[in-house]
Amino acid sequence: MENLLLVSSDKEPLSELASALERDEDVEVSWAKSGLEALKSVSNSNFDLIITVETLSDMTGLELAGKLLSMNPMIHCASVTSLSQKEYHEKSEGLGLMDPLPDRPGEKDAKRLLRDLRQIKGYLSGR
């Protein structure tokens, strides 16, 4: 079972992604409206993946990723971004983020995220 946390003050930009993720019976999706709410959720629950939009009400998605990394270096994060691949790599370097998501990610992105997450989890567990 994969436990995912989607972070966005407005659910609409991640709604198609969330719907696609929720169709997988082995996925549980939770929501947080801000970076601070996400940090509180992570301190109280175990999540396999945090997915954040680019800009939250209280911080950027990359700032949240940095804070999550300092809380738990093994937490997996993915971020929506409008940056070019090069800019994104430069700004996210050292945060250990999964491949970036496009604005308004959808079913194809959900499948890729779950495939990549399951490969990482399998590698870390020695499967």
Side-chain angles (χ1 to χ4, degrees), residues 31-55:
W31 288 86
K33 293 182 179 181
S34 67
L36 185 57
E37 186 178 327
L39 292 169
K40 287 180 184 175
S41 293
V42 167
S43 68
N44 294 322
S45 299
N46 290 323
F47 291 99
D48 297 296
L49 176 63
I50 312 300
I51 302 166
T52 180
V53 293
E54 192 166 24
T55 305

PDB file of all heavy atoms in Angstrom, residues 31-55:
ATOM      1  N   TRP A  31      -4.574  14.848   1.625  1.00  0.00           N
ATOM      2  CA  TRP A  31      -4.324  16.213   1.160  1.00  0.00           C
ATOM      3  C   TRP A  31      -3.851  17.103   2.301  1.00  0.00           C
ATOM      4  O   TRP A  31      -4.269  16.928   3.442  1.00  0.00           O
ATOM      5  CB  TRP A  31      -5.601  16.828   0.591  1.00  0.00           C
ATOM      6  CG  TRP A  31      -6.032  16.269  -0.720  1.00  0.00           C
ATOM      7  CD1 TRP A  31      -6.812  15.163  -0.918  1.00  0.00           C
ATOM      8  CD2 TRP A  31      -5.702  16.770  -2.016  1.00  0.00           C
ATOM      9  NE1 TRP A  31      -6.989  14.952  -2.260  1.00  0.00           N
ATOM     10  CE2 TRP A  31      -6.332  15.921  -2.959  1.00  0.00           C
ATOM     11  CE3 TRP A  31      -4.951  17.850  -2.480  1.00  0.00           C
ATOM     12  CZ2 TRP A  31      -6.221  16.129  -4.329  1.00  0.00           C
ATOM     13  CZ3 TRP A  31      -4.850  18.057  -3.834  1.00  0.00           C
ATOM     14  CH2 TRP A  31      -5.477  17.204  -4.751  1.00  0.00           C
ATOM     15  N   ALA A  32      -3.011  18.069   1.956  1.00  0.00           N
ATOM     16  CA  ALA A  32      -2.631  19.151   2.863  1.00  0.00           C
ATOM     17  C   ALA A  32      -2.760  20.448   2.072  1.00  0.00           C
ATOM     18  O   ALA A  32      -2.458  20.480   0.883  1.00  0.00           O
ATOM     19  CB  ALA A  32      -1.204  18.973   3.378  1.00  0.00           C
ATOM     20  N   LYS A  33      -3.210  21.514   2.739  1.00  0.00           N
ATOM     21  CA  LYS A  33      -3.456  22.791   2.056  1.00  0.00           C
ATOM     22  C   LYS A  33      -2.268  23.742   2.064  1.00  0.00           C
ATOM     23  O   LYS A  33      -2.278  24.749   1.375  1.00  0.00           O
ATOM     24  CB  LYS A  33      -4.656  23.495   2.689  1.00  0.00           C
ATOM     25  CG  LYS A  33      -5.955  22.771   2.464  1.00  0.00           C
ATOM     26  CD  LYS A  33      -7.105  23.540   3.065  1.00  0.00           C
ATOM     27  CE  LYS A  33      -8.403  22.807   2.819  1.00  0.00           C
ATOM     28  NZ  LYS A  33      -9.554  23.532   3.365  1.00  0.00           N
ATOM     29  N   SER A  34      -1.245  23.443   2.860  1.00  0.00           N
ATOM     30  CA  SER A  34      -0.084  24.340   2.960  1.00  0.00           C
ATOM     31  C   SER A  34       1.154  23.517   3.291  1.00  0.00           C
ATOM     32  O   SER A  34       1.055  22.346   3.674  1.00  0.00           O
ATOM     33  CB  SER A  34      -0.312  25.384   4.060  1.00  0.00           C
ATOM     34  OG  SER A  34      -0.331  24.753   5.335  1.00  0.00           O
ATOM     35  N   GLY A  35       2.285  24.164   3.178  1.00  0.00           N
ATOM     36  CA  GLY A  35       3.525  23.500   3.555  1.00  0.00           C
ATOM     37  C   GLY A  35       3.546  23.144   5.023  1.00  0.00           C
ATOM     38  O   GLY A  35       3.952  22.041   5.401  1.00  0.00           O
ATOM     39  N   LEU A  36       3.091  24.072   5.864  1.00  0.00           N
ATOM     40  CA  LEU A  36       3.066  23.819   7.305  1.00  0.00           C
ATOM     41  C   LEU A  36       2.140  22.653   7.639  1.00  0.00           C
ATOM     42  O   LEU A  36       2.501  21.776   8.434  1.00  0.00           O
ATOM     43  CB  LEU A  36       2.622  25.075   8.053  1.00  0.00           C
ATOM     44  CG  LEU A  36       2.650  25.002   9.575  1.00  0.00           C
ATOM     45  CD1 LEU A  36       4.041  24.649  10.080  1.00  0.00           C
ATOM     46  CD2 LEU A  36       2.185  26.313  10.173  1.00  0.00           C
ATOM     47  N   GLU A  37       0.978  22.591   7.004  1.00  0.00           N
ATOM     48  CA  GLU A  37       0.064  21.470   7.231  1.00  0.00           C
ATOM     49  C   GLU A  37       0.703  20.154   6.769  1.00  0.00           C
ATOM     50  O   GLU A  37       0.566  19.123   7.417  1.00  0.00           O
ATOM     51  CB  GLU A  37      -1.259  21.710   6.504  1.00  0.00           C
ATOM     52  CG  GLU A  37      -2.313  20.670   6.815  1.00  0.00           C
ATOM     53  CD  GLU A  37      -3.642  20.940   6.125  1.00  0.00           C
ATOM     54  OE1 GLU A  37      -4.002  22.121   5.927  1.00  0.00           O
ATOM     55  OE2 GLU A  37      -4.301  19.943   5.767  1.00  0.00           O
ATOM     56  N   ALA A  38       1.419  20.195   5.657  1.00  0.00           N
ATOM     57  CA  ALA A  38       2.111  18.999   5.165  1.00  0.00           C
ATOM     58  C   ALA A  38       3.172  18.546   6.161  1.00  0.00           C
ATOM     59  O   ALA A  38       3.289  17.343   6.447  1.00  0.00           O
ATOM     60  CB  ALA A  38       2.746  19.267   3.804  1.00  0.00           C
ATOM     61  N   LEU A  39       3.943  19.474   6.690  1.00  0.00           N
ATOM     62  CA  LEU A  39       4.985  19.125   7.658  1.00  0.00           C
ATOM     63  C   LEU A  39       4.374  18.495   8.915  1.00  0.00           C
ATOM     64  O   LEU A  39       4.915  17.525   9.444  1.00  0.00           O
ATOM     65  CB  LEU A  39       5.810  20.360   8.015  1.00  0.00           C
ATOM     66  CG  LEU A  39       6.675  20.919   6.880  1.00  0.00           C
ATOM     67  CD1 LEU A  39       7.228  22.288   7.251  1.00  0.00           C
ATOM     68  CD2 LEU A  39       7.787  19.958   6.517  1.00  0.00           C
ATOM     69  N   LYS A  40       3.248  19.025   9.368  1.00  0.00           N
ATOM     70  CA  LYS A  40       2.562  18.440  10.529  1.00  0.00           C
ATOM     71  C   LYS A  40       2.067  17.037  10.197  1.00  0.00           C
ATOM     72  O   LYS A  40       2.187  16.125  11.011  1.00  0.00           O
ATOM     73  CB  LYS A  40       1.395  19.334  10.964  1.00  0.00           C
ATOM     74  CG  LYS A  40       1.839  20.599  11.656  1.00  0.00           C
ATOM     75  CD  LYS A  40       0.653  21.457  12.060  1.00  0.00           C
ATOM     76  CE  LYS A  40       1.113  22.760  12.667  1.00  0.00           C
ATOM     77  NZ  LYS A  40      -0.021  23.658  12.962  1.00  0.00           N
ATOM     78  N   SER A  41       1.506  16.865   9.014  1.00  0.00           N
ATOM     79  CA  SER A  41       1.003  15.556   8.605  1.00  0.00           C
ATOM     80  C   SER A  41       2.126  14.530   8.550  1.00  0.00           C
ATOM     81  O   SER A  41       1.966  13.389   8.997  1.00  0.00           O
ATOM     82  CB  SER A  41       0.327  15.638   7.234  1.00  0.00           C
ATOM     83  OG  SER A  41      -0.845  16.405   7.297  1.00  0.00           O
ATOM     84  N   VAL A  42       3.264  14.942   8.011  1.00  0.00           N
ATOM     85  CA  VAL A  42       4.405  14.038   7.883  1.00  0.00           C
ATOM     86  C   VAL A  42       4.955  13.666   9.259  1.00  0.00           C
ATOM     87  O   VAL A  42       5.407  12.534   9.461  1.00  0.00           O
ATOM     88  CB  VAL A  42       5.494  14.662   6.975  1.00  0.00           C
ATOM     89  CG1 VAL A  42       6.801  13.912   7.063  1.00  0.00           C
ATOM     90  CG2 VAL A  42       4.992  14.720   5.544  1.00  0.00           C
ATOM     91  N   SER A  43       4.886  14.579  10.207  1.00  0.00           N
ATOM     92  CA  SER A  43       5.391  14.259  11.545  1.00  0.00           C
ATOM     93  C   SER A  43       4.458  13.300  12.286  1.00  0.00           C
ATOM     94  O   SER A  43       4.873  12.642  13.234  1.00  0.00           O
ATOM     95  CB  SER A  43       5.623  15.533  12.359  1.00  0.00           C
ATOM     96  OG  SER A  43       4.398  16.161  12.661  1.00  0.00           O
ATOM     97  N   ASN A  44       3.186  13.198  11.827  1.00  0.00           N
ATOM     98  CA  ASN A  44       2.208  12.335  12.494  1.00  0.00           C
ATOM     99  C   ASN A  44       1.901  11.046  11.745  1.00  0.00           C
ATOM    100  O   ASN A  44       1.268  10.159  12.301  1.00  0.00           O
ATOM    101  CB  ASN A  44       0.893  13.098  12.702  1.00  0.00           C
ATOM    102  CG  ASN A  44       1.056  14.250  13.671  1.00  0.00           C
ATOM    103  OD1 ASN A  44       1.771  14.145  14.645  1.00  0.00           O
ATOM    104  ND2 ASN A  44       0.400  15.352  13.382  1.00  0.00           N
ATOM    105  N   SER A  45       2.289  10.944  10.482  1.00  0.00           N
ATOM    106  CA  SER A  45       1.965   9.772   9.664  1.00  0.00           C
ATOM    107  C   SER A  45       3.138   9.422   8.769  1.00  0.00           C
ATOM    108  O   SER A  45       3.996  10.259   8.496  1.00  0.00           O
ATOM    109  CB  SER A  45       0.754  10.059   8.773  1.00  0.00           C
ATOM    110  OG  SER A  45      -0.376  10.359   9.532  1.00  0.00           O
ATOM    111  N   ASN A  46       3.142   8.186   8.288  1.00  0.00           N
ATOM    112  CA  ASN A  46       4.174   7.748   7.348  1.00  0.00           C
ATOM    113  C   ASN A  46       3.629   7.850   5.927  1.00  0.00           C
ATOM    114  O   ASN A  46       2.613   7.230   5.616  1.00  0.00           O
ATOM    115  CB  ASN A  46       4.586   6.303   7.630  1.00  0.00           C
ATOM    116  CG  ASN A  46       5.357   6.178   8.913  1.00  0.00           C
ATOM    117  OD1 ASN A  46       6.149   7.046   9.248  1.00  0.00           O
ATOM    118  ND2 ASN A  46       5.135   5.112   9.638  1.00  0.00           N
ATOM    119  N   PHE A  47       4.284   8.624   5.114  1.00  0.00           N
ATOM    120  CA  PHE A  47       3.913   8.761   3.713  1.00  0.00           C
ATOM    121  C   PHE A  47       5.038   8.220   2.852  1.00  0.00           C
ATOM    122  O   PHE A  47       6.216   8.414   3.160  1.00  0.00           O
ATOM    123  CB  PHE A  47       3.647  10.231   3.357  1.00  0.00           C
ATOM    124  CG  PHE A  47       2.414  10.781   4.006  1.00  0.00           C
ATOM    125  CD1 PHE A  47       2.498  11.543   5.161  1.00  0.00           C
ATOM    126  CD2 PHE A  47       1.164  10.525   3.471  1.00  0.00           C
ATOM    127  CE1 PHE A  47       1.367  12.042   5.766  1.00  0.00           C
ATOM    128  CE2 PHE A  47       0.016  11.021   4.072  1.00  0.00           C
ATOM    129  CZ  PHE A  47       0.115  11.774   5.228  1.00  0.00           C
ATOM    130  N   ASP A  48       4.657   7.556   1.767  1.00  0.00           N
ATOM    131  CA  ASP A  48       5.639   7.039   0.828  1.00  0.00           C
ATOM    132  C   ASP A  48       6.076   8.105  -0.164  1.00  0.00           C
ATOM    133  O   ASP A  48       7.190   8.054  -0.683  1.00  0.00           O
ATOM    134  CB  ASP A  48       5.054   5.847   0.061  1.00  0.00           C
ATOM    135  CG  ASP A  48       4.734   4.703   0.997  1.00  0.00           C
ATOM    136  OD1 ASP A  48       5.679   4.166   1.601  1.00  0.00           O
ATOM    137  OD2 ASP A  48       3.542   4.366   1.130  1.00  0.00           O
ATOM    138  N   LEU A  49       5.187   9.053  -0.435  1.00  0.00           N
ATOM    139  CA  LEU A  49       5.483  10.081  -1.426  1.00  0.00           C
ATOM    140  C   LEU A  49       4.693  11.343  -1.112  1.00  0.00           C
ATOM    141  O   LEU A  49       3.493  11.267  -0.823  1.00  0.00           O
ATOM    142  CB  LEU A  49       5.119   9.581  -2.833  1.00  0.00           C
ATOM    143  CG  LEU A  49       5.283  10.560  -3.991  1.00  0.00           C
ATOM    144  CD1 LEU A  49       6.739  10.975  -4.176  1.00  0.00           C
ATOM    145  CD2 LEU A  49       4.735   9.948  -5.284  1.00  0.00           C
ATOM    146  N   ILE A  50       5.372  12.481  -1.188  1.00  0.00           N
ATOM    147  CA  ILE A  50       4.745  13.787  -1.059  1.00  0.00           C
ATOM    148  C   ILE A  50       4.787  14.434  -2.440  1.00  0.00           C
ATOM    149  O   ILE A  50       5.857  14.509  -3.052  1.00  0.00           O
ATOM    150  CB  ILE A  50       5.502  14.708  -0.062  1.00  0.00           C
ATOM    151  CG1 ILE A  50       5.824  13.985   1.249  1.00  0.00           C
ATOM    152  CG2 ILE A  50       4.746  16.006   0.147  1.00  0.00           C
ATOM    153  CD1 ILE A  50       4.668  13.477   2.032  1.00  0.00           C
ATOM    154  N   ILE A  51       3.643  14.892  -2.920  1.00  0.00           N
ATOM    155  CA  ILE A  51       3.553  15.567  -4.222  1.00  0.00           C
ATOM    156  C   ILE A  51       3.068  16.976  -3.961  1.00  0.00           C
ATOM    157  O   ILE A  51       2.009  17.176  -3.356  1.00  0.00           O
ATOM    158  CB  ILE A  51       2.579  14.827  -5.155  1.00  0.00           C
ATOM    159  CG1 ILE A  51       3.017  13.375  -5.352  1.00  0.00           C
ATOM    160  CG2 ILE A  51       2.481  15.564  -6.498  1.00  0.00           C
ATOM    161  CD1 ILE A  51       1.957  12.485  -5.968  1.00  0.00           C
ATOM    162  N   THR A  52       3.832  17.955  -4.410  1.00  0.00           N
ATOM    163  CA  THR A  52       3.492  19.345  -4.139  1.00  0.00           C
ATOM    164  C   THR A  52       3.400  20.171  -5.421  1.00  0.00           C
ATOM    165  O   THR A  52       4.106  19.888  -6.389  1.00  0.00           O
ATOM    166  CB  THR A  52       4.516  19.977  -3.167  1.00  0.00           C
ATOM    167  OG1 THR A  52       4.154  21.333  -2.915  1.00  0.00           O
ATOM    168  CG2 THR A  52       5.925  19.937  -3.724  1.00  0.00           C
ATOM    169  N   VAL A  53       2.529  21.169  -5.375  1.00  0.00           N
ATOM    170  CA  VAL A  53       2.493  22.123  -6.480  1.00  0.00           C
ATOM    171  C   VAL A  53       3.696  23.053  -6.329  1.00  0.00           C
ATOM    172  O   VAL A  53       4.382  23.050  -5.308  1.00  0.00           O
ATOM    173  CB  VAL A  53       1.166  22.927  -6.512  1.00  0.00           C
ATOM    174  CG1 VAL A  53      -0.003  22.017  -6.848  1.00  0.00           C
ATOM    175  CG2 VAL A  53       0.931  23.683  -5.222  1.00  0.00           C
ATOM    176  N   GLU A  54       3.917  23.864  -7.339  1.00  0.00           N
ATOM    177  CA  GLU A  54       5.097  24.728  -7.364  1.00  0.00           C
ATOM    178  C   GLU A  54       5.069  25.802  -6.278  1.00  0.00           C
ATOM    179  O   GLU A  54       6.082  26.072  -5.635  1.00  0.00           O
ATOM    180  CB  GLU A  54       5.209  25.371  -8.749  1.00  0.00           C
ATOM    181  CG  GLU A  54       6.512  26.047  -9.008  1.00  0.00           C
ATOM    182  CD  GLU A  54       6.692  26.359 -10.488  1.00  0.00           C
ATOM    183  OE1 GLU A  54       5.702  26.486 -11.230  1.00  0.00           O
ATOM    184  OE2 GLU A  54       7.857  26.466 -10.890  1.00  0.00           O
ATOM    185  N   THR A  55       3.904  26.420  -6.077  1.00  0.00           N
ATOM    186  CA  THR A  55       3.792  27.505  -5.106  1.00  0.00           C
ATOM    187  C   THR A  55       2.645  27.222  -4.154  1.00  0.00           C
ATOM    188  O   THR A  55       1.504  27.066  -4.578  1.00  0.00           O
ATOM    189  CB  THR A  55       3.548  28.852  -5.822  1.00  0.00           C
ATOM    190  OG1 THR A  55       4.592  29.068  -6.779  1.00  0.00           O
ATOM    191  CG2 THR A  55       3.532  29.994  -4.830  1.00  0.00           C
TER     192      THR A  55
END
